[in-house]
Amino acid sequence: MTHTDTTSTLTRRAGAFFSGTSLSRGTGLIRDLLMAYAFGTGSAVAAFFVAYRLAYLLRRVLGEGAMQPAFIPTFEGLRQTDTDEAAAFFRGLRNVLSLVLLALVVVVEGVLGGLLTISLDSGT
């Protein structure tokens, strides 16, 4: 069965997409307003928002960026021909990503620890 898009189906689908996006943005605005009302605008809330966004930044860069569209076709192509080779590819990629993330965490912790030490030394 072939599916043809007409102007009315495209308009309906675009309307559903944009209404969902608008609803998401609106509820996000309400969430931010309620958090500002409940917790204020102090440095602790600012630090929370920065930490929250940094976690999602890593997720977007490493998980939802170019990795996903590149990994799935390659893995599925290997899986169709040889499941052992596909499993080895998966394990290799998992190991490399684990090492990269571990190194990133160690570097960030080192930098933040150094900044904390400098901050504590200058405050006394």
Side-chain angles (χ1 to χ4, degrees):
M1 176 178 161
T2 58
H3 180 70
T4 57
D5 288 324
T6 63
T7 304
S8 64
T9 59
L10 287 175
T11 304
R12 236 181 344 185
R13 290 178 183 161
F17 173 78
F18 288 120
S19 65
T21 302
S22 298
L23 180 65
S24 172
R25 300 291 181 175
T27 55
L29 174 66
I30 292 169
R31 180 199 63 224
D32 288 348
L33 290 172
L34 288 174
M35 285 192 70
Y37 177 76
F39 300 112
T41 57
S43 60
V45 174
F48 171 78
F49 279 125
V50 168
Y52 187 74
R53 289 182 187 202
L54 280 177
Y56 278 100
L57 173 69
L58 290 176
R59 179 178 164 210
R60 286 181 179 176
V61 168
L62 297 171
E64 295 176 353
M67 181 65 70
Q68 189 175 4
F71 170 76
I72 292 173
T74 304
F75 178 76
E76 283 299 317
L78 289 172
R79 192 176 66 87
Q80 295 293 328
T81 59
D82 185 9
T83 57
D84 291 334
E85 189 176 346
F89 172 71
F90 173 78
R91 283 191 301 274
L93 183 62
R94 181 196 61 203
N95 293 341
V96 167
L97 281 179
S98 296
L99 288 174
V100 167
L101 289 174
L102 181 65
L104 183 65
V105 167
V106 167
V107 167
V108 169
E109 290 289 332
V111 168
L112 291 177
L115 290 174
L116 181 61
T117 302
I118 292 169
S119 174
L120 291 176
D121 289 343
S122 65
T124 56

